[in-house]
Amino acid sequence: MAKDAVFCSFCGRHASQVKKLISSPGGDAGICVDCLKICQGMIQPPNAGIHSVSSEVAPKETKEQPKLKILSPQSINSVLDAYIIGQEQAKKTLSVAVYNHYKRLVCQKGIEHFECEPGLNLTSQLPDDLSEVEIEKSNVLFIGPTGSGKTLLARTLARVLNVPFAIADATTLTEAGYVGEDVENIVLRLLQAADYDVARAETGIIYVDEIDKIGRKTSNVSITRDVSGEGVQQALLKILEGTECNIPPKGGRKHPDQEYIRVNTSNILFICGGAFVGLDKIMAERLGSNIVGFERIAQGADEEASFIEQNVQAEDLIQFGMIPEFVGRLPIISVLRELTREDLIYIMTRTKNALLLQYQKLFAMEGVRLSMDPEAIVAVVDQALELKTGARALRSILERLMNDAFFAVSKDKGIHDIQITKEMVLGKQSLLK
């Protein structure tokens, strides 16, 4: 063969027919990448390539791993207070659950790079009778109406602790082999958030939203499979508890001869959230209408949330459509109440990322000062309460209100001040004269 071989010595294909062809030093032989993979599979054990990752998704260079910050429950709660209004019991429950989760990782050497808040000592010598005790993982379940802050709690928490965080939507998941997403894809999102650093991803937090939507569709036995309901719950069991997942680096369905990344979910904290509409009625039926009575519960959101938190039991969630094994893997249950008028006003004006401050910053970038009358703020909140979608309604109303102003400001550089009144919110007066 001529020097610098242009044909594969194994399959006989020309260099133009393959992705890459490697010539021998003497140039009298060559092998293409396809034949090279076949040879590699013959030499290595069946699972030897399970950790291999293509160069396209592998971390580009070894960087110093960011340290996980372990804070006391009081410190976590105080940071959450700056971003989330109300929901005191939910914030306290989450702060303690997360603190204990990362103490568990320190105790069982699940993390190496971490730093503690001054005053915390998590490396104390354990008594001999406790040194061999293994602490089980405690995942968290949030129950609360839409727009009450479930997702924001989890996202803020991840930012405070400096850990990878991913949000997954349970409604897109299906049982393996059916159209939709495999449950392993929720771990892939966390891996991507960690820049494919497996060790860092294994200490992250995954928030699974709309978890109530995968409830069993019917309690009756059916000849068809419940592939997006009970089937998803079954598939999530091992991931929630802790298992070795083989993750396709680019997502999608698994297929033979595919490269995988192995991720252990034992140290990943799962926070699941859902509205669970109708759960209160199931609980009242169990307790008896004469004992509870919804006339009393309907008096306020606080009473309803308190009623659910104090009385919810595993059998209520099972009656709702969750399978017993799934409920057992979410031992910590926290209930969020519906936001009141005062809460929504606070969210608009006084939280660290208050909506009004966000819009003021957007206008300030173009040299425009935005202000809003107190009566206008109340009018926006009243409209949001009518939509019954919590804090999310505030943004949709403000976006619609500010739309013309954003368009006009970008065109007319002579606008330097915008003041929003109640009449503008109610549509009785134009935002820009």
Side-chain angles (χ1 to χ4, degrees), residues 35-316:
C35 293
L36 189 63
K37 287 182 179 179
I38 295 173
C39 295
Q40 185 182 18
M42 296 170 64
I43 296 172
Q44 291 181 334
N47 292 330
I50 201 76
H51 294 285
S52 62
V53 184
S54 66
S55 59
E56 297 179 16
V57 298
K60 295 178 177 57
E61 59 183 27
T62 303
K63 299 179 181 179
E64 184 179 353
Q65 186 174 352
K67 290 184 179 181
L68 184 149
K69 298 177 183 176
I70 301 181
L71 305 177
S72 67
Q74 293 82 5
S75 297
I76 296 174
N77 191 80
S78 64
V79 175
L80 294 178
D81 281 338
Y83 294 90
I84 298 104
I85 181 62
Q87 315 299 5
E88 301 303 331
Q89 189 58 43
K91 288 186 286 191
K92 184 185 297 184
T93 301
L94 183 62
S95 300
V96 173
V98 168
Y99 177 61
N100 285 337
H101 174 74
Y102 286 106
K103 276 201 305 185
R104 165 183 175 266
L105 299 195
V106 171
C107 178
Q108 297 174 185
K109 294 180 172 57
I111 50 175
E112 297 179 0
H113 304 281
F114 68 93
E115 58 183 17
C116 289
E117 174 186 325
L120 287 180
N121 182 15
L122 302 182
T123 58
S124 302
Q125 185 68 33
L126 293 172
D128 293 337
D129 58 337
L130 296 177
S131 59
E132 299 299 323
V133 175
E134 291 191 7
I135 306 171
E136 295 183 356
K137 182 170 66 168
S138 296
N139 298 310
V140 182
L141 174 63
F142 280 150
I143 299 174
T146 181
S148 58
K150 300 186 294 294
T151 307
L152 184 59
L153 272 171
R155 184 187 290 117
T156 304
L157 183 68
R159 184 166 59 245
V160 169
L161 300 174
N162 194 27
V163 296
F165 173 71
I167 299 177
D169 190 342
T171 57
T172 64
L173 302 176
T174 58
E175 195 174 343
Y178 292 85
V179 175
E181 288 192 274
D182 286 342
V183 293
E184 286 89 352
N185 283 350
I186 67 177
V187 183
L188 172 64
R189 290 191 182 93
L190 184 67
L191 190 61
Q192 291 169 338
D195 196 22
Y196 289 91
D197 185 336
V198 175
R200 190 160 180 258
E202 288 179 344
T203 62
I205 298 174
I206 295 178
Y207 177 72
V208 186
D209 202 7
E210 307 291 355
I211 200 69
D212 54 321
K213 303 303 188 296
I214 61 171
R216 208 179 303 172
K217 301 299 183 288
T218 176
S219 57
N220 299 326
V221 178
S222 174
I223 60 173
T224 59
R225 296 176 68 91
D226 187 8
V227 299
S228 62
E230 183 177 353
V232 176
Q233 294 185 55
Q234 297 282 1
L236 283 170
L237 293 180
K238 281 295 180 184
I239 291 181
L240 290 177
E241 186 174 19
T243 189
E244 294 275 352
C245 289
N246 296 326
I247 311 298
K250 296 183 180 179
R253 293 296 184 185
K254 295 181 180 179
H255 58 80
D257 302 324
Q258 185 179 14
E259 294 178 336
Y260 297 115
I261 305 174
R262 181 170 288 172
V263 179
N264 191 321
T265 65
S266 300
N267 295 334
I268 297 175
L269 179 64
F270 286 86
I271 303 174
C272 301
F276 288 88
V277 177
L279 181 64
D280 49 358
K281 293 181 175 61
I282 293 173
M283 295 168 57
E285 186 177 343
R286 171 176 59 83
L287 296 171
S289 57
N290 292 333
I291 299 175
V292 181
F294 275 84
E295 295 297 329
R296 182 181 65 80
I297 298 174
Q299 290 175 2
D302 285 334
E303 289 82 358
E304 183 174 353
S306 178
F307 164 72
I308 294 176
E309 186 156 37
Q310 293 176 15
N311 295 281
V312 66
Q313 294 185 8
E315 61 184 281
D316 300 317

